[in-house]
Amino acid sequence: MNVATLVGRVLAELGVETVFGVVGSGNFHVTNALVANGARYVAARHEGGAATMADAYARMSGKVGVVSVHQGPGLTNAMTGLAEAAKSRTPLIVLAGEATQARSNFHIDQAAMARAVGAVALRVGSAATAVEDAVGAFRAARAGATVLLNLPLEVQNEVAGEGEVWSEAWRLVVESARLASSVPVEGPAPGADAVRLARLLEGARRPVFVAGRGARHAGDELRALADRAGALLATSAVAKGLFRGSPWDLDVSGGFSSPLAAELIAGADVLVGWGCALNMWTTRHGRLIGRHTRLVQVDLDPTAIGAHRPVELGVVGDAAWVARAVEAALEGPPAQGYRTPELAGRIAAQVRWRDVPYEEETGEGRIDPRTLTIALDDLLPPARVVATDSGNFMGYPAMFLDVPDERGFCFTQAFQSVGLGLASAIGAAVALPDRLPVAALGDGGALMGIAELETVVRLGLPMVIVVYDDEAYGAEVHHFGPSGHPLDTVTFPPADLARIARGYGCAAVTVTRRADLDAVTSWLAGPRDRPLLVHAKVGGGRGSWWLEEAFRGH
């Protein structure tokens, strides 16, 4: 076999189950080899969509994502998705053909491009090293890196060898596959730091835990420790749903926090971030950290400790392991901490955004985005996975659509790119086929990624696609409009998105009032044989609350 076929076979042997991509001559053989060895291939309509699908698939499945692209323009088309994945430390492998001859019209410095956005750049060097190179890329991705594995065209055609070297190479594949399916190594015991954290919690009267993506696997351990310490529970946006069902769940910490959640987080005397960056988004530029709050950070990555703000105590280790160690070090009976019957009542009645009173803004054939989203939350089944794009609208689905657990919310916002939402929903749907996928998009992002509507239809995904249409790039309108700047460059004439969706093969409804959502009820009743696009004409008279928070950082 040639090297391209060998690399595809190795990755399949290592456990790659799904590959997304757009196939050209430079990635034809490696993609076919993956399929021939059992992987599912999901064809996208644009490499940017393919990279984002693979990113979302990895986030929601917990497996290594793989995207396959052509050399040169295939990779450049995928770069925004690659940047998002790298900034989010998504375990992802990008397989890309590579033209190494400077005279080739496809030649660019692909490795430099990958490094520029924070990805790891690797290359298959020869037939003799192909197995080792592929295994190395997989191991790097498993460790949390986004990896570009360049496949030089001339190397792809080399014939793989036989004999002793070949046998040793396959031994490496088998051993790596075994390790890939085993429990990750938790690292050294935190020891004295766990005891110090235990003592801090014992002295706390109002402890709060904020769990991030690095703690999504540690929900049970953190709940148990919080029960002992009397702590309230919150998450970063990417871990939304981790503590769903707990009466002490404050939902998301940061710009999306409800007024009560923000009040309680800011009132903490000990705040512990678990696998969480404690960046400006999660802390509202530091305003959710009280003046006298003692700040602790637990992270598997030593460089993450204190990266965004100084902490009193940093504990290096896996969140689940550290939580167990801290619980074991606690002395005495469980503490009441922040957990009083009165506060439990307030949380039950006020912590959700839908419980916060608002004055409805309607008129001129438009529906209030809060009213729209609350109604959808009531209609859609609980077993759902919500993926949201970026824009002025995004806080509404993020905070008014409930999710059942930490796998219910796909939030690709590390790069804050508009246009990734639909592809994210496709990747999440492939990862979690037993849930209803819900894509929440603005009109700008929907039109940027609209080619992937064909992918949704072709795959037969029973997806609900909600487009919050204010006929503008709303973030810019509300950022620059109050200062009197002209807005012609960021506002647009009406587009019949429902009609466009029907052209792709979707069912569609235009919503300007609550009664129009009866069409969603009918679609949910079955047979759900086509995706449904909800073209919601929403009011755009004011900026969203989360956007006001975000603009404080610009």
Side-chain angles (χ1 to χ4, degrees):
M1 70 181 74
N2 63 22
V3 165
T5 302
L6 175 60
V7 169
R9 179 179 173 185
V10 168
L11 292 174
E13 291 281 350
L14 290 170
V16 171
E17 298 177 0
T18 305
V19 56
F20 302 83
V22 176
V23 169
S25 59
N27 64 321
F28 183 84
H29 294 298
V30 69
T31 307
N32 282 348
L34 277 158
V35 174
N37 286 279
R40 177 188 182 185
Y41 176 63
V42 178
R45 284 302 185 177
H46 190 278
E47 291 90 350
T52 301
M53 291 174 202
D55 178 10
Y57 171 86
R59 293 171 191 246
M60 307 317 292
S61 69
K63 301 171 184 176
V64 172
V66 176
V67 58
S68 178
V69 298
H70 186 63
Q71 64 271 16
L75 181 62
T76 58
N77 279 348
M79 285 307 296
T80 299
L82 179 57
E84 168 64 38
K87 287 180 176 291
S88 297
R89 296 185 292 178
T90 299
L92 179 69
I93 299 173
V94 182
L95 298 171
E98 183 184 25
T100 58
Q101 300 299 317
R103 292 181 180 274
S104 169
N105 59 310
F106 290 127
H107 174 70
I108 55 173
D109 191 340
Q110 296 188 173
M113 287 187 63
R115 288 192 292 267
V117 297
V120 175
L122 301 175
R123 176 177 286 117
V124 176
S126 68
T129 66
V131 172
E132 184 178 354
D133 296 335
V135 170
F138 184 83
R139 284 178 166 172
R142 279 279 300 177
T146 295
V147 179
L148 168 65
L149 183 60
N150 280 313
L151 302 169
L153 300 182
E154 64 276 14
V155 173
Q156 288 192 46
N157 292 322
E158 290 182 13
V159 177
E162 301 288 347
E164 185 176 338
V165 173
W166 180 255
S167 298
E168 175 62 20
W170 276 106
R171 186 200 63 75
L172 181 65
V173 171
V174 172
E175 177 66 13
S176 292
R178 185 187 67 79
L179 291 173
S181 62
S182 66
V183 177
V185 177
E186 292 172 333
D193 287 337
V195 175
R196 289 180 63 196
L197 178 49
R199 299 293 86 81
L200 278 176
L201 291 175
E202 287 169 352
R205 297 179 60 191
R206 298 181 305 281
V208 171
F209 292 174
V210 180
R213 184 175 180 184
R216 289 175 71 214
H217 66 292
D220 290 343
E221 291 83 358
L222 291 176
R223 285 176 188 245
L225 177 60
D227 288 345
R228 285 288 309 276
L232 304 184
L233 297 161
T235 70
S236 66
V238 293
K240 177 180 169 69
L242 180 62
F243 302 119
R244 191 62 76 245
S246 168
W248 309 106
D249 179 17
L250 303 180
D251 206 12
V252 175
S253 173
F256 290 161
S257 292
S258 68
L260 177 59
E263 172 194 329
L264 296 174
I265 295 167
D269 56 359
V270 174
L271 180 66
V272 187
W274 300 86
C276 168
L278 296 175
N279 57 25
M280 64 180 185
W281 308 111
T282 306
T283 67
R284 288 193 180 180
H285 303 279
R287 288 191 302 281
L288 292 187
I289 300 174
R291 183 176 179 184
H292 301 293
T293 299
R294 306 180 77 175
L295 195 59
V296 180
Q297 191 174 359
V298 178
D299 206 288
L300 194 58
D301 179 5
T303 66
I305 304 292
H308 291 277
R309 58 188 58 256
V311 297
E312 178 174 332
L313 174 62
V315 184
V316 177
D318 173 78
W321 197 95
V322 173
R324 289 195 296 268
V326 173
E327 185 183 5
L330 289 174
E331 298 175 352
Q336 175 178 285
Y338 227 149
R339 301 182 174 191
T340 65
E342 178 187 7
L343 185 56
R346 290 186 68 200
I347 291 173
Q350 302 174 34
V351 84
R352 297 190 305 170
W353 266 107
R354 65 180 295 158
D355 295 325
V356 177
Y358 66 91
E359 185 175 338
E360 193 163 2
E361 297 178 3
T362 57
E364 299 183 359
R366 296 194 172 272
I367 188 170
D368 190 299
R370 296 162 292 187
T371 303
L372 166 75
T373 315
I374 292 170
L376 287 170
D377 188 49
D378 292 337
L379 290 173
L380 300 176
R384 63 182 74 154
V385 55
V386 178
T388 183
D389 210 326
S390 189
N392 178 61
F393 76 95
M394 63 185 281
Y396 303 115
M399 297 316 303
F400 289 95
L401 286 181
D402 199 12
V403 295
D405 54 33
E406 71 278 5
R407 298 204 305 163
F409 191 55
C410 186
F411 193 68
T412 49
Q413 295 295 326
F415 199 32
Q416 288 185 267
S417 174
V418 174
L420 305 186
L422 183 56
S424 294
I426 295 171
V430 172
L432 301 171
D434 58 336
R435 301 191 182 202
L436 177 73
V438 181
L441 320 173
D443 52 309
L447 289 166
M448 283 186 187
I450 203 163
E452 302 306 345
L453 272 184
E454 189 277 336
T455 304
V456 179
V457 173
R458 172 167 34 87
L459 295 178
L461 299 176
M463 183 181 294
V464 176
I465 303 157
V466 185
V467 182
Y468 293 75
D469 183 11
D470 61 359
E471 297 171 7
Y473 293 139
E476 283 64 38
V477 166
H478 297 294
H479 190 25
F480 296 106
S483 300
H485 295 287
L487 300 174
D488 294 347
T489 55
V490 291
T491 54
F492 300 90
D496 192 341
L497 297 177
R499 187 175 181 181
I500 292 171
R502 294 186 192 104
Y504 276 96
C506 299
V509 58
T510 298
V511 175
T512 60
R513 57 196 178 105
R514 174 65 178 81
D516 294 332
L517 290 172
D518 290 346
V520 177
T521 303
S522 298
W523 182 89
L524 288 169
R528 305 188 195 179
D529 54 351
R530 293 184 294 165
L532 172 68
L533 185 134
V534 178
H535 177 203
K537 290 181 173 289
V538 298
R542 61 191 298 269
S544 55
W545 82 95
W546 78 268
L547 192 64
E548 294 172 0
E549 291 289 340
F551 283 155
R552 296 177 193 272
H554 293 283

